[in-house]
Amino acid sequence: MIKVFTRGCSMEKISISFFNNKDLYFAVAIKDGKIIKSILPKANNDEALDEITAEFKDYKISKDYRSLAKSVSDIYYGKKSIFKKEMLHLNLSEFQKRVLLEVMKIPYGKIKTYKQVSEAIDSKAYRAVGTAIAKNPFPLIIPCHRVVRTDLDIGGFYEGPFMKKEILQNEGIKIKGFKIINLKFA
DNA sequence: GCTTTAGACGTAT
DNA sequence: ATACGTCTAAAGC
């Protein structure tokens, strides 16, 4: 009996499920029953598909996990998250894992600064924390939108600061310009 | 309130 | 070796 593995990838196909309302298209990628990637919402289905499948060559579109995609959209619209770290494939460097698991602890409606995240994992690598968060494979699920700059500017965001601002406001955080004005540190 | 400057550290190339 | 980040702190205007 010979087993063939292709470049260390599992044989298991990745399932892609979507959820959309009239404005935005969400997607999740599932492998072996766990989430392997999520995306920030896109304006149309093609963009969502391109991004969610960017690093996968073998996948299928499925309706099986539509409810998970909807749960991601729920976070966007200011509902509490149902996700647990056990539901995620964390194929990440040790450092990135420490950073992202720390970010995942920030509760709904609260924020932390990059510096606070850094200190919480016993590191002085503020910029590296920013880099690790920038590569978060689970936007919204791992709430990187709740990490802001020390001066309380909301900071950067993959889809731009407007989306980050909107998500934070949906969680009840008050923002003037791009600065947080009602402080709720985690 | 800007803007610049050097610092710190993980990661990709 | 180098360059860059969803950054920070200090110094200058």
Side-chain angles (χ1 to χ4, degrees):
Chain A
M1 186 63 149
I2 297 169
K3 286 189 177 179
V4 179
F5 293 96
T6 45
R7 280 193 265 182
C9 293
S10 149
M11 314 279 289
E12 190 70 28
K13 251 196 182 174
I14 288 170
S15 295
I16 308 293
S17 287
F18 294 95
F19 173 82
N20 70 281
N21 55 32
K22 64 181 187 313
D23 294 320
L24 294 174
Y25 290 74
F26 297 81
V28 289
I30 311 294
K31 185 175 143 187
D32 304 324
K34 285 184 165 191
I35 302 164
I36 193 158
K37 186 172 169 63
S38 64
I39 57 168
L40 291 167
K42 298 288 176 293
N44 62 62
N45 200 270
D46 284 346
E47 279 181 52
L49 180 64
D50 282 354
E51 183 155 332
I52 194 77
T53 61
E55 63 247 46
F56 309 132
K57 52 183 183 308
D58 195 23
Y59 60 85
K60 63 178 188 213
I61 308 297
S62 156
K63 294 196 188 306
D64 295 353
Y65 303 100
R66 185 171 181 278
S67 70
L68 286 180
K70 174 167 191 312
S71 295
V72 175
S73 88
D74 285 342
I75 299 171
Y76 183 94
Y77 291 110
K79 293 191 189 163
K80 291 189 183 178
S81 175
I82 55 113
F83 294 96
K84 303 273 177 277
K85 64 175 189 288
E86 293 75 21
M87 301 162 73
L88 307 176
H89 275 286
L90 294 167
N91 292 327
L92 308 165
S93 71
E94 273 313 304
F95 181 79
Q96 198 181 4
K97 212 182 290 184
R98 276 197 291 148
V99 171
L100 292 182
L101 288 177
E102 192 61 37
V103 172
M104 202 167 191
K105 292 185 201 162
I106 306 172
Y108 174 89
K110 301 277 179 66
I111 56 162
K112 255 188 182 177
T113 66
Y114 292 97
K115 187 181 182 182
Q116 288 169 337
V117 171
S118 196
E119 286 169 346
I121 61 168
D122 237 353
S123 164
K124 279 176 277 182
Y126 313 144
R127 299 193 68 174
V129 167
T131 305
I133 293 175
K135 285 183 293 189
N136 176 14
F138 308 101
L140 293 167
I141 296 174
I142 290 180
C144 51
H145 56 281
R146 296 183 191 138
V147 187
V148 304
R149 296 186 354 183
T150 296
D151 63 4
L152 299 182
D153 184 296
I154 63 172
F157 202 57
Y158 181 63
E159 293 289 339
F162 291 97
M163 185 177 282
K164 186 168 183 175
K165 179 176 175 178
E166 182 181 346
I167 301 166
L168 289 170
Q169 287 174 329
N170 288 344
E171 296 194 5
I173 291 171
K174 300 270 188 294
I175 298 169
K176 188 172 181 181
F178 290 104
K179 284 250 188 185
I180 292 184
I181 52 179
N182 64 334
L183 270 220
K184 289 180 189 166
F185 282 122

